[in-house]
Amino acid sequence: CVAVGHTIHTFVFYPVLFWCTTRLNGWLYYIKIFPAALLAFATSSSAATLPRSLQVAEKAGVRKEVYSFIIPLGAAINMDGTALSWPVGIGLIAQLNGIELSMATIVTIIVLSVVLSVGAAPIPSAGIVYLTMLFKAAGMEQYMTEGIATLYILDWLNDRIQTSVNVSSDLYVAKMIDGISIKLEKNKHKKVICGCCICGTDEKQ
Protein backbone atom coordinates (compact mmCIF):
# COMPACT_ATOMS: atom_id res chain seq x y z
CA CYS A 1 0.00 0.00 0.00
CA VAL A 2 2.84 2.37 0.84
CA ALA A 3 4.57 1.69 -2.47
CA VAL A 4 1.32 2.24 -4.38
CA GLY A 5 0.62 5.47 -2.51
CA HIS A 6 4.11 6.82 -3.15
CA THR A 7 3.91 5.85 -6.82
CA ILE A 8 0.63 7.72 -7.26
CA HIS A 9 1.96 10.69 -5.30
CA THR A 10 5.18 10.94 -7.33
CA PHE A 11 4.05 9.94 -10.82
CA VAL A 12 0.42 11.12 -10.90
CA PHE A 13 -0.24 13.87 -8.35
CA TYR A 14 2.95 15.87 -8.80
CA PRO A 15 3.13 15.62 -12.63
CA VAL A 16 -0.49 16.83 -12.86
CA LEU A 17 0.15 19.68 -10.42
CA PHE A 18 3.41 20.41 -12.25
CA TRP A 19 1.61 20.72 -15.59
CA CYS A 20 -1.13 22.93 -14.09
CA THR A 21 1.42 25.41 -12.76
CA THR A 22 4.18 25.33 -15.39
CA ARG A 23 2.54 23.79 -18.50
CA LEU A 24 5.54 21.43 -18.67
CA ASN A 25 5.69 17.64 -18.77
CA GLY A 26 6.17 16.38 -15.23
CA TRP A 27 7.43 12.95 -16.28
CA LEU A 28 10.14 14.43 -18.46
CA TYR A 29 11.13 16.69 -15.59
CA TYR A 30 11.37 13.67 -13.29
CA ILE A 31 13.94 12.15 -15.64
CA LYS A 32 16.06 15.25 -15.07
CA ILE A 33 15.80 15.06 -11.28
CA PHE A 34 16.09 11.27 -11.06
CA PRO A 35 19.80 11.33 -10.01
CA ALA A 36 18.84 13.16 -6.81
CA ALA A 37 15.97 10.76 -6.14
CA LEU A 38 18.30 7.80 -6.69
CA LEU A 39 20.87 9.18 -4.25
CA ALA A 40 18.09 9.80 -1.72
CA PHE A 41 17.07 6.16 -2.04
CA ALA A 42 20.67 5.06 -1.53
CA THR A 43 21.40 7.27 1.49
CA SER A 44 17.94 7.41 3.07
CA SER A 45 18.72 11.00 4.07
CA SER A 46 17.42 14.27 2.64
CA ALA A 47 20.29 16.11 4.36
CA ALA A 48 22.94 13.91 2.74
CA THR A 49 21.25 14.33 -0.65
CA LEU A 50 20.99 18.13 -0.36
CA PRO A 51 24.22 19.02 -2.27
CA ARG A 52 23.21 16.72 -5.11
CA SER A 53 19.68 18.13 -5.12
CA LEU A 54 21.07 21.66 -5.57
CA GLN A 55 23.21 20.50 -8.50
CA VAL A 56 20.30 18.69 -10.13
CA ALA A 57 17.99 21.69 -9.70
CA GLU A 58 20.49 23.94 -11.47
CA LYS A 59 20.87 21.48 -14.34
CA ALA A 60 17.08 21.17 -14.56
CA GLY A 61 16.79 24.90 -15.23
CA VAL A 62 15.64 26.20 -11.85
CA ARG A 63 16.97 29.65 -11.04
CA LYS A 64 19.51 29.80 -8.22
CA GLU A 65 17.60 32.38 -6.21
CA VAL A 66 14.68 29.95 -6.08
CA TYR A 67 16.32 26.56 -5.54
CA SER A 68 18.86 27.88 -3.02
CA PHE A 69 15.94 28.70 -0.71
CA ILE A 70 13.25 26.13 -1.59
CA ILE A 71 15.34 22.96 -1.58
CA PRO A 72 17.15 23.44 1.78
CA LEU A 73 13.82 24.43 3.32
CA GLY A 74 12.14 21.38 1.80
CA ALA A 75 14.92 19.09 3.02
CA ALA A 76 14.21 20.30 6.55
CA ILE A 77 10.39 20.34 6.70
CA ASN A 78 8.93 18.73 3.58
CA MET A 79 8.37 15.08 4.54
CA ASP A 80 5.30 14.20 2.49
CA GLY A 81 6.59 10.67 1.90
CA THR A 82 6.83 10.18 5.65
CA ALA A 83 3.38 11.66 6.27
CA LEU A 84 1.92 9.26 3.73
CA SER A 85 3.60 6.19 5.23
CA TRP A 86 2.73 6.61 8.91
CA PRO A 87 -1.08 6.22 8.62
CA VAL A 88 -0.57 3.11 6.48
CA GLY A 89 1.77 1.67 9.12
CA ILE A 90 -0.74 2.30 11.93
CA GLY A 91 -3.46 0.74 9.77
CA LEU A 92 -1.28 -2.33 9.19
CA ILE A 93 -0.75 -2.91 12.92
CA ALA A 94 -4.44 -2.37 13.55
CA GLN A 95 -5.36 -5.01 10.96
CA LEU A 96 -2.81 -7.49 12.28
CA ASN A 97 -4.39 -7.19 15.73
CA GLY A 98 -8.00 -7.18 14.52
CA ILE A 99 -8.70 -3.60 15.56
CA GLU A 100 -11.25 -1.53 13.66
CA LEU A 101 -10.41 2.16 13.53
CA SER A 102 -13.22 4.69 13.38
CA MET A 103 -13.32 7.38 10.71
CA ALA A 104 -12.61 10.04 13.34
CA THR A 105 -9.51 8.14 14.48
CA ILE A 106 -8.29 7.72 10.92
CA VAL A 107 -8.67 11.45 10.24
CA THR A 108 -6.86 12.24 13.50
CA ILE A 109 -3.96 9.95 12.54
CA ILE A 110 -3.71 11.51 9.07
CA VAL A 111 -3.71 15.09 10.37
CA LEU A 112 -1.26 14.24 13.15
CA SER A 113 1.02 12.48 10.65
CA VAL A 114 1.18 15.59 8.48
CA VAL A 115 1.94 17.84 11.46
CA LEU A 116 4.54 15.51 12.97
CA SER A 117 6.28 14.93 9.65
CA VAL A 118 7.28 18.61 9.58
CA GLY A 119 9.39 18.06 12.69
CA ALA A 120 11.01 14.82 11.52
CA ALA A 121 14.78 15.08 11.11
CA PRO A 122 16.17 14.49 7.57
CA ILE A 123 18.22 11.47 8.67
CA PRO A 124 17.62 7.70 8.32
CA SER A 125 14.71 6.26 10.35
CA ALA A 126 14.28 9.48 12.37
CA GLY A 127 10.51 9.38 12.05
CA ILE A 128 10.16 6.06 13.83
CA VAL A 129 10.14 7.81 17.23
CA TYR A 130 6.98 9.75 16.33
CA LEU A 131 5.03 6.52 15.97
CA THR A 132 4.53 6.48 19.75
CA MET A 133 2.27 9.54 19.45
CA LEU A 134 0.34 7.99 16.60
CA PHE A 135 -0.25 4.75 18.51
CA LYS A 136 -1.57 6.75 21.44
CA ALA A 137 -3.79 8.83 19.14
CA ALA A 138 -5.20 5.60 17.70
CA GLY A 139 -5.84 4.19 21.18
CA MET A 140 -3.41 1.33 20.56
CA GLU A 141 -0.91 1.87 23.39
CA GLN A 142 -0.97 -1.83 24.30
CA TYR A 143 0.31 -2.72 20.82
CA MET A 144 2.94 0.02 20.68
CA THR A 145 6.02 -2.08 21.45
CA GLU A 146 5.39 -4.92 19.01
CA GLY A 147 3.92 -2.48 16.49
CA ILE A 148 7.00 -0.27 16.37
CA ALA A 149 9.22 -3.36 16.24
CA THR A 150 7.26 -4.70 13.26
CA LEU A 151 7.36 -1.40 11.42
CA TYR A 152 11.05 -0.95 12.16
CA ILE A 153 11.80 -4.22 10.37
CA LEU A 154 10.15 -2.82 7.25
CA ASP A 155 11.55 0.67 7.72
CA TRP A 156 14.94 -0.02 6.13
CA LEU A 157 13.25 -0.14 2.70
CA ASN A 158 10.25 2.03 3.43
CA ASP A 159 12.43 4.90 4.69
CA ARG A 160 14.46 4.87 1.48
CA ILE A 161 11.31 5.15 -0.62
CA GLN A 162 10.00 7.95 1.62
CA THR A 163 13.26 9.90 1.29
CA SER A 164 13.24 9.51 -2.48
CA VAL A 165 9.69 10.88 -2.58
CA ASN A 166 10.62 13.75 -0.25
CA VAL A 167 13.56 14.82 -2.40
CA SER A 168 11.58 14.48 -5.63
CA SER A 169 8.79 16.65 -4.27
CA ASP A 170 11.31 19.31 -3.18
CA LEU A 171 12.61 19.50 -6.75
CA TYR A 172 9.10 19.52 -8.23
CA VAL A 173 8.06 22.37 -5.95
CA ALA A 174 11.24 24.35 -6.68
CA LYS A 175 10.51 24.25 -10.41
CA MET A 176 6.83 25.10 -9.88
CA ILE A 177 7.68 28.10 -7.69
CA ASP A 178 10.24 29.18 -10.27
CA GLY A 179 7.66 28.93 -13.07
CA ILE A 180 5.01 30.81 -11.10
CA SER A 181 7.42 33.61 -10.16
CA ILE A 182 8.47 34.00 -13.81
CA LYS A 183 4.81 34.29 -14.85
CA LEU A 184 4.17 36.86 -12.14
CA GLU A 185 7.11 38.92 -13.35
CA LYS A 186 5.96 38.78 -16.97
CA ASN A 187 2.28 39.43 -16.18
CA LYS A 188 2.35 42.04 -13.44
CA HIS A 189 -0.91 43.50 -14.70
CA LYS A 190 -2.76 40.22 -14.18
CA LYS A 191 -3.86 38.13 -11.25
CA VAL A 192 -2.34 34.69 -11.64
CA ILE A 193 -4.64 31.91 -10.50
CA CYS A 194 -3.21 28.45 -9.67
CA GLY A 195 0.08 29.50 -11.17
CA CYS A 196 -1.42 29.86 -14.63
CA CYS A 197 -1.62 33.30 -16.23
CA ILE A 198 -4.15 31.93 -18.76
CA CYS A 199 -6.69 31.90 -15.95
CA GLY A 200 -5.66 35.38 -14.83
CA THR A 201 -7.84 38.45 -15.02
CA ASP A 202 -6.68 41.95 -15.80
CA GLU A 203 -6.49 44.03 -12.62
CA LYS A 204 -7.42 47.19 -14.55
CA GLN A 205 -10.86 45.82 -15.32
Side-chain angles (χ1 to χ4, degrees):
C1 289
V2 172
V4 172
H6 285 318
T7 300
I8 294 173
H9 187 66
T10 305
F11 298 108
V12 178
F13 172 76
Y14 267 113
V16 171
L17 184 62
F18 188 80
W19 182 85
C20 290
T21 55
T22 65
R23 289 297 188 265
L24 297 174
N25 190 313
W27 294 285
L28 293 179
Y29 180 72
Y30 184 80
I31 295 175
K32 296 180 180 179
I33 65 175
F34 178 72
L38 183 61
L39 183 60
F41 183 86
T43 61
S44 189
S45 171
S46 299
T49 312
L50 180 57
R52 184 58 173 162
S53 297
L54 296 173
Q55 293 175 354
V56 168
E58 186 172 8
K59 291 181 180 179
V62 184
R63 291 180 299 172
K64 185 176 181 179
E65 58 266 30
V66 175
Y67 75 70
S68 60
F69 174 75
I70 297 296
I71 294 180
L73 179 65
I77 67 173
N78 177 37
M79 306 292 174
D80 48 354
T82 304
L84 192 152
S85 297
W86 283 343
V88 177
I90 297 296
L92 171 64
I93 301 303
Q95 283 190 333
L96 291 176
N97 291 280
I99 300 174
E100 185 176 351
L101 300 175
S102 66
M103 183 58 65
T105 301
I106 293 173
V107 172
T108 300
I109 292 171
I110 292 173
V111 173
L112 193 58
S113 294
V114 173
V115 174
L116 290 176
S117 68
V118 176
I123 58 176
S125 301
I128 202 78
V129 297
Y130 292 99
L131 287 173
T132 56
M133 299 182 192
L134 296 176
F135 274 104
K136 290 181 180 179
M140 297 167 55
E141 295 94 333
Q142 64 272 34
Y143 303 105
M144 187 185 302
T145 303
E146 58 264 37
I148 291 178
T150 302
L151 294 176
Y152 190 75
I153 294 172
L154 304 173
D155 194 61
W156 72 273
L157 177 60
N158 187 30
D159 190 51
R160 295 175 186 275
I161 298 174
Q162 292 175 23
T163 307
S164 182
V165 172
N166 293 340
V167 170
S168 299
S169 63
D170 293 342
L171 289 162
Y172 268 121
V173 171
K175 184 63 175 178
M176 287 189 284
I177 296 297
D178 188 36
I180 292 173
S181 62
I182 290 174
K183 288 179 181 178
L184 285 171
E185 291 172 1
K186 292 181 177 180
N187 299 276
K188 294 181 179 180
H189 63 289
K190 290 185 178 182
K191 293 180 180 179
V192 181
I193 302 174
C194 297
C196 178
C197 61
I198 296 177
C199 299
T201 56
D202 198 330
E203 292 181 346
K204 295 180 180 179
Q205 293 179 355

